[in-house]
Amino acid sequence: MHEAGARWARRSFSGASEAVARRLLGHRFVHVLEDGARVAGLIVEVEAYVGVEDRAAHSFGGRRTARNESMYAHPGTLYVYFTYGMHHCMNVVCGAAGEPVAVLVRALEPVEGLDRMRACRSGSLRRRPSEIRDRELCSGPGKVCQALGVDRSLDGLDLASSGQVFIERARRRPVPSGQIGVGPRIGIGNAGSPWTEAPLRFWIEGNPHVSR
DNA sequence: ATGACGATTTACT
DNA sequence: GTAAATCGTCATA
């Protein structure tokens, strides 16, 4: 086991969201497009959502609706939601089975299918694909989904068994704590203390593809 | 049925 | 730094 390129199995997704968030850093998120082409990037920035007690989480207070149903599925499930009337964001469900806990993927370092990413990203931009710099490709949760072609149609897929979306082992060891930046989550100003300030965002220190 | 609100991004002052 | 874009979702009625 543990070969490079091996797909993450179910148990890798189990555990507290903060731990899984850190564990995901440096590994490769892959989406196999309908024509078989791969678009993929190394996870460089994530946010942990703790669950029913977390005012910033969609599952706060045990909220369970058609939109966030995937959060209640087993660890390894992909939770994709639509927001601001124009953007998608994707999460990796973790925790224990039935526990609505997840990790938001905020940024990737693009490594495969950059041309396809540019084609997608240029759709809503007036720039030409060639003018989109590598750093603009996946440096934010909405950009990640746009570049990878992830939308609600992928919501609920199982990263541990789907041939369409999965995590590939891209390093033998976790990113050392000393190389992980930690800070408050972004865009949750109305959640209130302590959740607004909680240090639940993690990124690979110094990586240029982290959001700004 | 209605209204307020986003786990964002981009363009512009 | 500020504002616009844009619409599904959720709480209230």
Side-chain angles (χ1 to χ4, degrees):
Chain A
M1 64 194 296
H2 295 352
E3 317 171 18
R7 296 178 188 184
W8 274 35
R10 174 87 52 229
R11 57 187 167 69
S12 299
F13 297 101
S14 299
S17 58
E18 181 177 344
V20 176
R22 290 172 173 274
R23 192 182 305 160
L24 281 167
L25 290 174
H27 289 285
R28 179 177 305 214
F29 189 98
V30 183
H31 180 201
V32 178
L33 303 176
E34 297 198 5
D35 65 359
R38 286 170 47 122
V39 283
L42 304 178
I43 298 171
V44 299
E45 182 184 4
V46 292
E47 281 178 0
Y49 285 82
V50 180
V52 298
E53 60 195 288
D54 183 351
R55 294 199 67 124
H58 291 165
S59 55
F60 172 66
R63 276 204 312 276
R64 183 171 187 168
T65 65
R67 173 173 75 150
N68 73 351
E69 182 60 30
S70 294
M71 292 188 79
Y72 291 82
H74 52 52
T77 298
L78 187 67
Y79 168 43
V80 183
Y81 66 90
F82 183 65
T83 190
Y84 288 105
M86 62 189 88
H87 296 297
H88 290 278
C89 292
M90 69 174 190
N91 299 255
V92 174
V93 175
C94 48
E99 191 183 15
V101 172
V103 173
L104 170 70
V105 177
R106 285 196 58 88
L108 304 177
E109 175 179 326
V111 293
E112 289 182 66
L114 303 232
D115 291 346
R116 299 298 286 271
M117 293 184 188
R118 284 197 165 79
C120 290
R121 298 275 296 133
S122 65
S124 65
L125 295 175
R126 293 190 181 181
R127 276 174 292 175
R128 307 182 57 126
S130 62
E131 296 175 317
I132 301 172
R133 311 172 92 102
D134 286 5
R135 308 184 163 180
E136 302 174 86
L137 243 23
C138 304
S139 53
K143 297 177 186 177
V144 166
C145 286
Q146 196 178 344
L148 293 187
V150 170
D151 61 25
R152 278 288 277 176
S153 71
L154 301 186
D155 176 61
L157 289 186
D158 182 11
L159 295 167
S161 65
S162 167
Q164 196 174 168
V165 282
F166 43 87
I167 306 290
E168 276 184 354
R169 179 176 304 281
R171 51 185 301 130
R172 296 204 169 269
R173 297 288 173 200
V175 175
S177 296
Q179 292 173 32
I180 298 179
V182 182
R185 293 172 293 182
I186 292 175
I188 54 169
N190 297 326
S193 282
W195 302 105
T196 296
E197 298 303 324
L200 293 173
R201 181 166 65 103
F202 307 95
W203 65 90
I204 296 180
E205 201 71 66
N207 189 288
H209 300 276
V210 169
S211 69
R212 288 149 286 147

